[in-house]
Amino acid sequence: MRKAILSCILAVLFFGGADGRAEEKIGALGRIEPPGGLVQLACPHGDVVAEITVKEGEYVKKGAALVVFESKVSRELELSQAQATLKEADELGAKGVALQELKVRETVELGRIALTVQEQRVVVADAEYDFALKRQNRYEGIDGETLSAQQMDERKSQVKVAQAKLAAAKLELDRLRLANEISTAFARQELGRLVLNREMSMTQARTRVDLARERLKQSVLRAPKDGTVLEIHARAGETAGGRVMVTMANLEPMYVTAEIFEGDLSKISAGMKAAITGSALSGTLHGEVETVGRVISGGSRTGKVRIRLLDSKAASKLINMEVDVSIKI
């Protein structure tokens, strides 16, 4: 309410310009702020502070370590063990897969050799059967008085034996083909199982590494962006317990957020010059209007105007200080 009353009192001021004409200005109360506001960093878990690695007023880059917790040592060990497990799973899995790939090739090659040998046996058995059959046919064409019945029976018996050998050789060839297909399929199935097991083991090991790496990250409080450390709220040996540990902000450029009475907002536009004064300021700060707010506060009936300061050095030491704002319109 106090801001609304003061904004109304200071709403429109008239000063003499260089050309003798009155300069119209709008006055209001404002507050010095960094561009992204204050960043308050807390530790979400109940860890113990081991070391504060920065000082108040120090400028840090994004990712810089601010506070180190005691859990860092144990979590580094946890990550190292997880990485070793991942490496072991990779090496053992790769070795098992390589051995099974060799076994598959060996199974295929041995099967091919066995089939080649048996195919040759079939060829030999077929030739023997053909020879026995032709010899029988030749003897059947000779006068029966010359060839005895016993001799004819022997020839017929030889044909039957040769025929049986050929049939057996062909059956063995079929059996070898089926056995080769089955053994090759089993070998390849085992290879697939080993590949899948390796992938599963690697996935589980990678997950443990990722979790360990994330836990290690939580053991160090780091700057989320470039900025200056404004306040440190922790000491070595204290328990974090979810409270704010460090406050930081980007101090370049600095801004003033002015609370402008709703009736004057339409008179203000980006680029207008503004003068900033305050009890703690040694002189007047100058700036330009950057944005004009569109939302009116229901209680104070004011809107926010954001002014970018041309010189941020003095203002950066007085963050959140209330100041008087005069905007030349």
Side-chain angles (χ1 to χ4, degrees), residues 63-75:
L66 307 176
V67 180
V68 178
F69 299 102
E70 289 186 354
S71 62
K72 183 173 183 288
V73 175
S74 61
R75 290 179 179 178

Side-chain angles (χ1 to χ4, degrees), residues 195-207:
V195 170
L196 181 60
N197 285 348
R198 182 195 179 198
E199 291 175 352
M200 292 176 61
S201 297
M202 291 286 290
T203 299
Q204 293 173 355
R206 287 193 189 99
T207 299

